[in-house]
Amino acid sequence: MTRADALQRATDYFDSGELRQTLAHRVAFATESQEPTQAPVMSAYLNEHMVPLLESLGFVCQIWPNPVAGGPQFLFAERAEPDAPFAVLSYGHGDVVRGYAAQWRAGLEPWVMVVDGDRWYGRGTADNKGQHSINLGALQQVLAVRNGQLGYTFKLLLEMGEEVGSPGLREVCEQHRDVLQADLFLASDGPRVAAKRPTLFLGSRGGVNFDLRIKLRPAGHHSGNWGGLLRNPGVRLAHAIASLVDANGRILVPGLLPASLPDNVRQALQTITVGGGADDPEVDADWGEPGLSPTERVIGWNCLEVLAFKTGNPEAPVNAIPGHASAHCQVRYVVGSDSENFMQHLRTHLDTHGFTDVQVEQFGPLMEATRLDPDNPWVQWALASMQRSTGKPPALLPNLGGTLPNDVFAKVLGQPTLWVPHSYPACAQHAPNEHLLGSVAREALPLMAGLFWDLGEQGAQVAAACRAPAVPV
C-alpha cells in the first residue's frame, strides 16, 4: 500500500458520506461553553463520544480535570509506538459559541447539520468540530493503509473552553509538560486565506483589550445652563483616542509598534491577498500603517481598534453634558512588540499629551503573539507535502491575523507550531448560519492524510535536523 492509496482512501471517506454522518453527530452536541448549563453535554462529547472513537484507533485516553475552578475538562489521548523516533502533538476544541437559533435563516438550526449545495450548515462545522473531524478522519485512513503503524507517536489534546478564553489550558500544559512533549505541533483552526487555496500558518497575532475611562463628575448637567463652562468627557476621550491612532488608522504610540517587519515574513506575504471574496467587506487600501500592503498590515503589523465608545445615553439622548465617557479598545500585535509594557506605554503617552484625566485599564488576559520562523525545516517540509497532495502551491502565513492560544504550545511547551486550516473567511464563524464548505473538506482530507503519511516517511529526519545545534557562522 502506498501514499496514493492513503490519499484515495481519504477521498473515499468523504465521497461515501462517512465524514458528513460523523460531523452531523458531533454538531448535535450543543457544546456551548458560554452556557454553564451545558457542562454535562460538553462532558458527554469527550467521555461518551470522543474517547470510544480514539480508543478504537489505538489511543490511550485520559480525562484531565481543569486546574481552574469550574473550568471544563480536557481529553488527552496518546497513540505510542515502540521505538518511535519522534512525537507529534495535535489539538482541537469541541466547544462552540452560543447557537443563537432564532437568528439562523429559515430551514436552518444550529444543532442539526443541513447540507445545501457546497455548504454544510451547523454550529461547529467550521469552528472547530469540522476541522478536527477532518484530521481524525484522515488519520484513520492512514492507519488503515499502514497496518496500524504511523512510525511516530501521536498525541492529541482536546479542550472544551476555547470559546471562553481557554481557561486552564496554560496551567494544564504546565502541569503535564513532560507528557505533552513533542517534536512538532500540528493542528487545524481558523480560515484559509481563500476557499480554494490550501493554507499553512505558523502562529497568530497576540491580543490585549483595554478600557479608557474619563469621569469628570457624578452626573450630567443641563447643556443650556452649563454648555461652554464644563469639560465634556466625550470630547476629551475622543481627542485622547485621536492622540493614539490617527484618522487613517495609523498607530501614533511608538511603544505599541513592532520592532520591524522581517524580510522572510514580507517575502512570504507577497503572494497573499486578503479579502476579495463575495461575502467579504471591501478593503480600505489607505487604512493603517503607510508603506505596507493590506496583507502586511493585517498579518505582519499591529493595529489599534476602538470596539465600543459610550458617553451619555446613546439610546435616548438628553440635553445634558455627560459626567463620564468610556471606550473599549484592543491592540492586535505581532512578534517583536513590547506587549508586556503596552499599558505603561499608553499611560506615558496620554500623560505626555495632557490626558492625565483618562484612565487606562487592561481588560482580560494578554494573549501572546507567536510566529514560527518561516525558514524552519518543518515549514518547508509541510509546504512540500501539501503541494504534492493537492497540486496547488499553498499559501504561507507567518501568523494568523486573529488570535489563537498558540502561545501555550509555542512557549510553554516549546514546540514548532504548524496550523492547517479547513474553513474559509466567509464561513460565518461565531455567527448565525455557520458552515463548512464540502469542497474544502474533500480537498483537506487527502491533504491531511498526506501530511500524516509523510511524517512517517520523512518526519524523523526533519525532527533530527531541528534538534541539531546551530553551526556557528
Side-chain angles (χ1 to χ4, degrees):
M1 302 291 276
T2 66
R3 185 183 194 273
D5 294 319
L7 270 62
Q8 185 59 56
R9 279 189 64 104
T11 302
D12 293 344
Y13 177 77
F14 179 91
D15 292 343
S16 70
E18 191 170 350
L19 174 66
R20 177 174 169 174
Q21 181 181 3
T22 298
L23 183 53
H25 182 58
R26 290 174 184 163
V27 167
F29 287 84
T31 51
E32 301 164 291
S33 54
Q34 296 166 324
E35 298 290 346
T37 57
Q38 296 303 95
V41 180
M42 295 199 295
S43 178
Y45 187 81
L46 295 183
N47 290 274
E48 299 173 19
H49 177 66
M50 296 304 301
V51 167
L53 166 72
L54 291 167
E55 288 179 343
S56 73
L57 298 178
F59 284 85
V60 176
C61 298
Q62 302 176 40
I63 297 294
W64 289 343
N66 198 309
V68 174
Q73 298 172 321
F74 294 87
L75 168 59
F76 173 70
E78 180 175 14
R79 194 180 187 284
E81 295 187 4
D83 303 318
F86 69 102
V88 175
L89 174 64
S90 193
Y91 160 86
H93 65 90
D95 67 312
V96 298
V97 298
R98 291 185 178 94
Y100 297 115
Q103 300 178 29
W104 289 57
R105 82 163 201 236
L108 301 179
E109 55 183 293
W111 315 120
V112 177
M113 198 174 83
V114 174
V115 176
D116 183 4
D118 195 31
R119 297 188 172 195
W120 295 14
Y121 290 97
R123 180 62 83 218
T125 51
D127 185 22
N128 175 258
K129 292 175 180 177
Q131 304 219 32
H132 64 251
S133 294
I134 288 169
N135 291 358
L136 290 174
L139 184 70
Q140 183 178 352
Q141 309 317 308
V142 172
L143 283 167
V145 173
R146 295 181 69 101
N147 296 318
Q149 295 296 309
L150 292 173
Y152 51 94
T153 290
F154 193 96
K155 304 177 183 183
L156 174 65
L157 183 64
L158 284 178
E159 70 160 316
M160 300 301 292
E162 196 270 349
E163 301 295 4
V164 289
S166 297
L169 178 61
R170 177 178 297 273
E171 292 84 354
V172 85
C173 287
E174 289 172 344
Q175 288 181 7
H176 299 280
R177 191 191 307 267
D178 293 342
V179 175
L180 292 167
Q181 279 304 305
D183 296 270
L184 173 68
F185 175 89
L186 174 62
S188 298
D189 204 348
R192 293 177 166 193
V193 295
K196 295 183 178 180
R197 189 167 186 191
T199 299
L200 175 71
F201 65 88
L202 313 179
S204 69
R205 283 202 293 185
V208 60
N209 287 28
F210 61 95
D211 290 331
L212 299 176
R213 297 191 185 93
I214 178 169
K215 185 171 183 180
L216 300 181
R217 53 194 70 90
H221 293 273
H222 195 283
S223 58
N225 298 332
W226 298 98
L229 300 179
L230 300 181
R231 285 185 299 164
N232 188 303
V235 173
R236 288 288 295 167
L237 188 55
H239 282 273
I241 293 172
S243 80
L244 304 178
V245 57
D246 73 12
N248 292 311
R250 181 184 185 183
I251 294 177
L252 302 176
V253 185
L256 300 184
L257 294 173
S260 66
L261 179 61
D263 289 340
N264 59 358
V265 173
R266 188 186 294 270
Q267 183 177 356
L269 297 178
Q270 288 181 352
T271 66
I272 307 299
T273 300
V274 176
D279 298 319
D280 293 338
E282 184 177 352
V283 172
D284 294 314
D286 58 350
W287 184 260
E289 183 70 19
L292 300 182
S293 71
T295 302
E296 289 169 344
R297 292 200 292 268
V298 75
I299 303 297
W301 206 249
N302 295 0
C303 66
L304 191 158
E305 303 293 349
V306 178
L307 306 181
F309 190 131
K310 183 175 181 180
T311 186
N313 187 349
E315 293 78 18
V318 296
N319 294 322
I321 301 166
H324 51 84
S326 63
H328 188 66
C329 306
Q330 180 186 72
V331 174
R332 296 273 187 177
Y333 67 94
V334 298
V335 170
S337 304
D338 186 21
S339 55
E340 292 184 359
N341 295 307
F342 275 171
M343 296 304 108
Q344 184 57 53
H345 290 309
L346 286 165
R347 179 72 273 157
T348 299
H349 176 92
L350 290 169
D351 289 348
T352 300
H353 287 75
F355 297 105
T356 56
D357 50 353
V358 176
Q359 299 175 343
V360 182
E361 183 178 353
Q362 183 173 324
F363 181 86
L366 180 143
M367 302 289 286
E368 296 185 62
T370 55
R371 179 197 293 146
L372 180 64
D373 190 328
D375 295 329
N376 185 280
W378 281 116
V379 178
Q380 305 310 312
W381 166 83
L383 291 173
S385 174
M386 293 168 68
Q387 180 154 358
R388 183 182 177 192
S389 297
T390 64
K392 301 177 181 180
L396 173 62
L397 295 181
N399 53 263
L400 192 67
T403 302
L404 293 169
N406 193 57
D407 57 312
V408 174
F409 308 108
K411 296 190 174 183
V412 174
L413 298 180
Q415 297 172 5
T417 54
L418 303 180
W419 294 84
V420 184
H422 307 319
S423 68
Y424 78 116
C427 67
Q429 172 189 356
H430 292 186
N433 309 325
E434 177 182 348
H435 59 276
L436 176 74
L437 292 183
S439 57
V440 171
R442 191 176 190 273
E443 181 177 67
L445 277 161
L447 183 158
M448 294 305 301
L451 286 167
F452 294 142
W453 181 280
D454 291 341
L455 280 169
E457 300 295 314
Q458 305 154 3
Q461 292 180 328
V462 181
C466 290
R467 294 188 200 121
V471 178
V473 177

